[in-house]
Every structure is written in C-alpha cells, then in structure tokens.
Amino acid sequence: MSYFLQQLINGLTLGAIYALIAIGYTMVYGIIGMINFAHGEIYMIGAFVSLITFFVLGVVGVTWVPLALVLVLVSAMGFTAFYGWTIERVAYRPLRGSFRLAPLISAIGMSIFLQNYVQLLQGARVKSLPPVIQGGFKLMESNGFTVQLSYLQIIIMLLTVALMAGFSIMIAATPLGRAQRACEQDMTMAALLGVNVDRTISTTFIIGAALAAVAGMMVTMYYGVIDFFIGFLAGMKAFTAAVLGGIGSLPGAVLGGFLIGLIEAFWSGYFSSAYKDVAVFGVLILVLIFRPSGLLGRPEVEKV
Amino acid sequence: MPLRNLLKDSAFAALVALILAIPLVGFNPIEGGKVEMRLNWVIIAVVAVFIGRIAIGLVPRRSRAVRAAPRFAPMTSRHIQWLGWMGLVAAVIWPLLPFSSRYLVDLATTVLIYIMLGWGLNIVVGLAGLLNLGYVAFYAVGAYAFAISAQYFDLSFWEALPIAGALATFVGVLLALPVLRLRGDYLAIVTLGFGEIIRIILLNWVSVTGGPNGINNIPRPTFFGLPLAASAPGGGTTFAKFFGIPFNPGQRIIFLYFVILALAMATNFLTVRLRRLPVGRAWEALREDEIASRALGINPTNVKLSAFAIGALLAGFAGAFFATRQGFISPESFTFQESATVLAIVVLGGMGSQLGVVLAAIILVTLPEFGREFAQFRMLVFGASMVGIMIWRPRGIFSNRTPSIQLGAPPA
C-alpha cells in the first residue's frame, strides 16, 4: 500500500511535467495542425537555461531560495519563449502554404539542429545541479518503507495546476484566447475578420515554449541532472500524452500528461524500469489503433 | 530591398541572436558551482548573424512564379540516364583503379550503404510522401535478424538475407498498419518513437541480442560457397585457392564492395520499375493529393503500406549487409543520428530523385572524413540545411524533380 502510494506521488509529479510539455504540442497542433517536433528540444533548452541561471545566481550570490526560484523561473520562461518565437519565425512561418511534408521536415531539422547546438555549446556529458529544495513530509510508514512527499513535488504539482488554470482562463476569456480559437477553426476567415493570424500563431509558440521551460526547470530541480538528449524522450512522451488526451484539446493534454506519468511510474515500480519507455510507446500505438481522437478530442474531419 | 531596411532587419536579427546567445552561448556551468563566461563567443555569434542576414538580403529575390521554375535548364531524362550509366561504370571500375586503396574501397562501401538506404527511404518519403523518422529501426532489424540467425541457426549471409528482409518488412507492416489510416504526422512520430524503442529493446534483451555488447563473429559472405579468407573452415577450398591466385585480404573488401553495389543497383532498378507500375503512380498521386486520389478509387492505406513495406524490406537488406561487413553489431550503430543522416540524404538530394540521393550520400558521408571539425559539426549542419532546403529549395539542392506525370502547370 505504501509502495503504491509512493508510486502514485511520483507518477503525478512526472505527469505534471509531461502535461506542461503536452500543452505546447496540443496548442500548436490545434492552431496550425502540425506536430512541432522541436518542442522536446525547447523543453531541453528550458532545462539548460534554468541550470545556467541557477549557476549564475550562485556565482552572483543570490542565496535566498524563493528569490532564486522566481528569478530562474522568469529567466527560463523568458529566454525559452524567445527561442520558441525564433524557431517559429525562422523554420515554420516561411513554410505556410508549402507542400504537406515541408513543415514536418523543417521541424525535424530544427530538432536535430537544436540538439547538436546545445551539445556543442554545453558539452555532451550530463550537467548536474545540487539540490535546491530539500526535505518534505513523511506521509506514512509501514514495514520500514516511508512514503515521502517532498516539498519540490508539491511545488511542481501546485505550479502546474496554477499555470493550467491560468491558461485555461486565458483561452476561454481573453481576446488572445478568442483569436486563437478563431485561427484554430478557420485561419483564412479569422484573417478576413481582422485577427492577426501571424501574431496569434507566434503567441501560441511563445506560450507553449514558456510552459515547456517551466517543465524543464522542474526536471532540472527534480532529477538534478540533464543532458542535451533529454528532449527526445520527454517530447515523445508528452506527444503521447497529447494524443492520449485528444490532440488539440487543452484539458486532454493535462489529463493525458498525468495518465502517462502514472503509467510510467507504475510500470517502472511494478514491472521493469528498463522498458518503461516501451510501455509508454505501446500506449501511443494502442490509442492510435482504438481511439485515434483521444480521450477528450473530437474526431478529425479533413476538408478539401 | 533598400539598403536601409536591410540594415534595420539585420540589426534586428543580430539583437535576436544576442538574446538567444546570452544563456546558452555566454555561460557554461562547470564543476564546483563555477561558471565559465564566453562573451567572445556571443560577440562572434551576433556578428555572424548580422553578416549572414545581410548576405541573405543581398541575394536578389525571385518572384514566386520564377522560383517555381527550375533555375538551370532542366536535365532531360536522357541526360539523367546517361549520367546514371556513367556513375555505374565509375562505381564498377572504382576498386580496380590504380589509386584506389583499401581505405577508398571501404569508404565507397559505406557510401553505397547510405545510397541504398537513401534509395529505400526515397520510396517512402520521396515517392509516397510518408515521413519515416525511424528508418534505422528496420536497418537494425535486418542486421540483428542476420546476426542472430547466423549465431543460433548457422545460416550463411545469402541464406539469411531473405530472412532479414522479410523480418524487417513484417515489423514495418505491423507498425505502420494501424497508423497509416491516420494523418501523415502520426506516422512520423510513431516511427520516430519506434526507432528509439528498437534500440532500447536491443540494449536490454541481453539473452538474445547481447545487450550493449552486441553480437560478435558474424560470418562473412561467401562467393558461391567459397570463403574469402586465408583458410577455409574444415579444410575447404577458399576463393583464392579455387582461382589459383594468391590470397590477399583486400579481396574481401572488394568483394563486399561489389555485393553492396549489386544490392544498391537492385534497389535502384526496383524503384525505377515500380514508378512505372500503377502502384508507383498511386504513391505519387497520394503524395500530391490524398483526397483526390481517394476519389479516384485508390485505397490510401494499402498503397501507403506497400511503399512503407518496400522501404522496410530494403532497409532490412542493407542491415544484413552492414552486419556481415562489420562482423560485429551493437545498438550503438542504430541511433537516431543514423535515421537523421539518411533522411538528410533524401531531403538534400531532392525527394524522389535517384541521382540526387547518390550525390547527397557521397557528400554527407565523405564530409566527416575530411577532418574532425566536419565530423563535429556534421549533424548541426544537417539539421540547419534541412530547414534551409525546405524554405529555399523544397525539391532538393541537386535536382528539380516534378511528378512523373503532371497535368497542366504546377500550382503557384
């Protein structure tokens, strides 16, 4: 029982991180109907920016933890969002209206580029961060096994939920959200009605990147080690989460993220940790076979 | 563009580069909580972007209509055919040329493996328009199928080759069948994931695949049963003894070269022929417009599946050859980087162009041989050039290939 509870906590933490990345996939897919393969790399860049900011703050002498956390959060979200904006501007915007495969190939090219860019600049070996927030609650103890809920896990889950609530409100109730929904339905019509489509798409990329940066920061603090390749698998899993929840649907991405996190935690807890990625991939295949529109998504109709 | 605007744009690009460069280029966290500052790198990056942006702006912009037309006088199919035959003759006499060394033949063998993989992927990506990002997975299945059947069932290369191909095809069909009903993007991400999953399985299924240690002592191919070695096992006749020539280790290298040349040429022949069959036409039709093809009675799932399966089959053959050539395989050889390289070859060569793939493979494979710098920046350049090509020359650098048959003018 206590083991189960611990896996549940770990799974929810992991799921929060996947959910944050999955939102970026699902928003971009919703608006321009394209899988942003470079999104996993954006998350990886977010993790690196966080780590670098932590180190710089350490050198400068900012040691009060709450201030450091806020500064790192701002720095990671800001710089990573800027990366997201630039990537859209450079690699995707010129391809609107090109042939079908072009944006996908451009995205995969971008992903390869970013991986190697970070590898060349920051080295191929893992970078580690000493723990920033330590301690936690001991929930229960049985048979010598302690169930722990660390402060960091609480922060990760609270922050995720807060960000999600914020963005849900934004999409439902602000002019920007309205423009996004309009572009999602019909880009040409939205443009005719005075919606600045290019700017809306840019904003979508910026938001997606900022959320991925938060995920990157959380992972950096949670695991303490990152390398240039973390974006690949995390991106895959977050995409699976987006598909599982129904791609294009924001609540779906959140639900999918938590489910994938739980599946991964329980699989590695009860079966084998070596094959946990295989399990997640199996979920992706199963969803695509039996319910391609996902749990909360609408079936897709292709129009001429 | 007026110079003033260009300067303004370039200054903006430089500013963007500055902001992007500050965290990742400017700082490098090192051991012990220290940070290495690299302001000089940031300055170099900003200046490079500024100059690069000006250079791009100075290239005269062609209108869309002009851009759609080929830049050079289009090569007729007769020219291309002639060039192809020349290439084949050059490939055949390559190992016999006076300057060709063991190293050069070996390098050419590697190039040919990539040409074969490129041609195989070209059927999937170039002709059928399906993005397969885990092509190396089928290559790995082929290689391991041969290695395992040689190890456990004592099969020779020529006996195991069809098995390797069949197994790779089977895996490909199994993977693609559920996904091909859906939008093309799903196939891309599923193959991407599959490429990684295969590697994880190969790493962890130690009892069969040997895990990270891989499989050793994979048998070499024989020339109609004659081994190309100093002595045959069990006192049999070797290739050298049979023909009464002195044994030379270079013979095996040259033999391997001709094996892959034959395999690659078979791939090419298959592709060229398939393109004239109804199924080949259907691939291209689906690539151009899926809905219209469906309206004309093409079953998209089956047609796509055939392209995907043939691509997997060819990758399986190439994988079996890779295993026999190396004599040793491990999961290290089947990373995403390989998939990306093959995809870059196809994209750079011009999707659907046979000759373009050859040129791209030669350039991409030999480039790292010129020095460590090239090898280090290889993937960075691949990634950037894939983006650049999609923007500026979406049909590839080396070729301008329009669909095999086309009605009217291309859409603007």
Side-chain angles (χ1 to χ4, degrees):
Chain A
M1 182 58 206
S2 54
Y3 187 65
F4 177 85
L5 196 64
Q6 185 66 62
Q7 293 305 330
L8 185 72
I9 292 170
N10 295 347
L12 287 175
T13 314
L14 211 55
I17 291 167
Y18 291 148
L20 284 172
I21 312 173
I23 290 178
Y25 275 112
T26 220
M27 274 172 49
V28 167
Y29 190 91
I31 205 159
I32 54 173
M34 166 204 146
I35 298 176
N36 181 8
F37 279 109
H39 195 61
E41 266 54 63
I42 303 246
Y43 150 82
M44 178 268 292
I45 284 178
F48 268 93
V49 174
S50 319
L51 182 109
I52 289 165
T53 316
F54 269 123
F55 270 76
V56 170
L57 289 179
V59 170
V60 176
V62 180
T63 47
W64 191 48
V65 174
L67 177 67
L69 285 184
V70 170
L71 288 178
V72 171
L73 190 69
V74 169
S75 148
M77 284 176 89
F79 280 115
T80 314
F82 207 70
Y83 267 93
W85 176 82
T86 314
I87 289 166
E88 195 271 333
R89 190 72 193 73
V90 171
Y92 303 150
R93 189 179 294 183
L95 294 176
R96 256 173 243 156
S98 186
F99 68 110
R100 197 174 48 81
L101 229 47
L104 279 181
I105 291 176
S106 179
I108 197 79
M110 200 42 150
S111 162
I112 296 168
F113 174 83
L114 289 174
Q115 258 178 35
N116 287 279
Y117 165 79
V118 173
Q119 185 193 356
L120 286 171
L121 287 171
Q122 299 286 325
R125 280 192 287 166
V126 295
K127 298 246 171 189
S128 54
L129 179 77
V132 181
I133 305 170
Q134 278 167 314
F137 300 108
K138 285 198 171 72
L139 292 183
M140 56 185 281
E141 205 166 337
S142 65
N143 312 330
F145 185 86
T146 333
V147 180
Q148 280 195 333
L149 175 63
S150 69
Y151 296 134
L152 185 58
Q153 287 175 321
I154 296 173
I155 292 177
I156 290 176
M157 281 185 254
L158 283 182
L159 193 64
T160 306
V161 172
L163 282 170
M164 278 165 206
F167 280 106
S168 302
I169 292 169
M170 192 199 77
I171 286 190
T174 62
L176 171 66
R178 206 156 45 238
Q180 274 179 330
R181 281 177 290 140
C183 290
E184 197 175 327
Q185 285 182 7
D186 191 330
M187 225 181 264
T188 319
M189 193 65 214
L192 283 173
L193 292 176
V195 174
N196 189 336
V197 173
D198 276 344
R199 187 184 297 163
T200 312
I201 293 174
S202 284
T203 321
T204 309
F205 271 86
I206 288 172
I207 294 171
L211 290 179
V214 178
M217 175 185 168
M218 298 300 145
V219 155
T220 310
M221 285 159 59
Y222 192 54
Y223 290 124
V225 284
I226 53 171
D227 64 33
F228 71 98
F229 203 60
I230 56 169
F232 187 83
L233 273 177
M236 268 298 300
K237 288 175 189 167
F239 176 79
T240 307
V243 172
L244 177 62
I247 196 148
S249 146
L250 204 62
V254 177
L255 178 69
F258 280 110
L259 284 178
I260 292 294
L262 289 173
I263 291 170
E264 191 181 327
F266 282 115
W267 187 281
S268 42
Y270 287 97
F271 299 105
S272 81
S273 66
Y275 287 110
K276 64 177 200 260
D277 303 328
V278 182
V280 173
F281 181 72
V283 170
L284 175 63
I285 299 276
L286 289 178
V287 174
L288 289 179
I289 295 174
F290 293 109
R291 207 179 153 78
S293 54
L295 295 174
L296 303 180
R298 281 160 298 169
E300 203 172 320
V301 185
E302 212 166 312
K303 284 169 280 188
V304 183
Chain B
M1 198 190 298
L3 197 63
R4 203 184 146 79
N5 285 1
L6 179 60
L7 281 177
K8 215 191 255 174
D9 269 16
S10 306
F12 181 67
L15 181 70
V16 170
L18 175 69
I19 300 176
L20 292 181
I22 284 174
L24 287 169
V25 182
F27 300 101
N28 180 24
I30 39 181
E31 295 299 315
K34 288 198 196 73
V35 179
E36 180 200 353
M37 293 263 274
R38 299 184 294 205
L39 281 179
N40 45 345
W41 289 26
V42 175
I43 292 165
I44 292 170
V46 170
V47 171
V49 166
F50 185 72
I51 293 172
R53 179 67 189 84
I54 289 181
I56 290 173
L58 288 180
V59 175
R61 285 209 160 208
R62 286 162 291 142
S63 69
R64 254 178 188 280
V66 177
R67 213 191 307 179
R71 188 190 289 185
F72 309 105
M75 284 202 286
T76 58
S77 59
R78 188 172 288 277
H79 284 135
I80 291 177
Q81 226 168 26
W82 188 78
L83 219 65
W85 284 113
M86 289 288 290
L88 180 60
V89 170
V92 169
I93 60 170
W94 176 257
L96 313 170
L97 290 175
F99 62 83
S100 87
S101 60
R102 195 183 158 133
Y103 164 75
L104 281 179
V105 177
D106 216 35
L107 183 64
T109 310
T110 311
V111 171
L112 276 170
I113 292 180
Y114 280 96
I115 289 177
M116 179 167 177
L117 285 172
W119 278 341
L121 188 62
N122 208 356
I123 294 179
V124 186
V125 178
L127 294 185
L130 305 167
L131 193 53
N132 183 346
L133 297 176
Y135 198 58
V136 77
F138 307 109
Y139 184 52
V141 168
Y144 271 88
F146 168 50
I148 291 169
S149 54
Q151 201 174 40
Y152 292 96
F153 308 110
D154 223 21
L155 294 183
S156 76
F157 173 70
W158 298 108
E159 290 161 334
L161 191 64
I163 298 176
L167 208 67
T169 315
F170 177 70
V171 171
V173 169
L174 217 61
L175 179 76
L177 196 55
V179 186
L180 281 175
R181 294 180 295 130
L182 308 167
R183 274 185 53 135
D185 315 26
Y186 285 109
L187 181 75
I189 197 122
V190 166
T191 48
L192 179 69
F194 182 68
E196 193 60 18
I197 296 310
I198 281 280
R199 208 175 59 83
I200 293 174
I201 294 175
L202 293 179
L203 267 175
N204 289 300
W205 199 7
V206 179
S207 59
V208 172
T209 65
N213 298 326
I215 298 179
N216 257 317
N217 294 326
I218 300 169
R220 306 293 188 172
T222 55
F223 182 80
F224 295 103
L226 301 171
L228 286 101
S231 64
T237 321
T238 63
F239 176 81
K241 217 188 264 174
F242 186 83
F243 287 98
I245 46 174
F247 172 72
N248 172 1
Q251 282 162 4
R252 198 188 67 217
I253 309 280
I254 292 175
F255 177 63
L256 282 169
Y257 173 80
F258 281 115
V259 170
I260 186 66
L261 184 62
L263 281 172
M265 289 323 294
T267 306
N268 183 36
F269 183 75
L270 185 75
T271 313
V272 171
R273 288 280 140 184
L274 277 172
R275 257 170 64 177
R276 301 198 180 145
L277 288 180
V279 68
R281 302 281 199 233
W283 289 339
E284 288 188 70
L286 270 178
R287 179 191 67 194
E288 298 300 322
D289 192 331
E290 181 162 344
I291 296 172
S293 319
R294 266 159 91 163
L296 290 171
I298 293 173
N299 178 340
T301 312
N302 288 356
V303 171
K304 285 182 191 167
L305 193 62
S306 64
F308 198 84
I310 291 172
L313 172 80
L314 294 170
F317 286 157
F321 175 80
F322 176 76
T324 195
R325 178 217 183 185
Q326 301 292 109
F328 160 75
I329 49 170
S330 76
E332 287 282 288
S333 316
F334 307 104
T335 55
F336 172 64
Q337 191 154 334
E338 293 298 308
S339 290
T341 308
V342 180
L343 184 69
I345 286 173
V346 173
V347 171
L348 253 77
M351 289 178 282
S353 153
Q354 297 294 96
L355 209 58
V357 166
V358 175
L359 294 175
I362 292 173
I363 292 178
L364 293 197
V365 175
T366 52
L367 204 62
E369 302 289 321
F370 288 114
R372 216 174 63 84
E373 292 79 26
F374 288 104
Q376 210 178 359
F377 291 100
R378 186 171 72 133
M379 292 313 284
L380 191 79
V381 174
F382 282 11
S385 52
M386 276 160 85
V387 176
I389 283 169
M390 283 301 110
I391 294 171
W392 288 300
R393 285 185 73 78
R395 296 283 174 196
I397 314 183
F398 306 120
S399 75
N400 264 300
R401 215 195 65 74
T402 43
S404 290
I405 35 172
Q406 196 171 26
L407 276 178

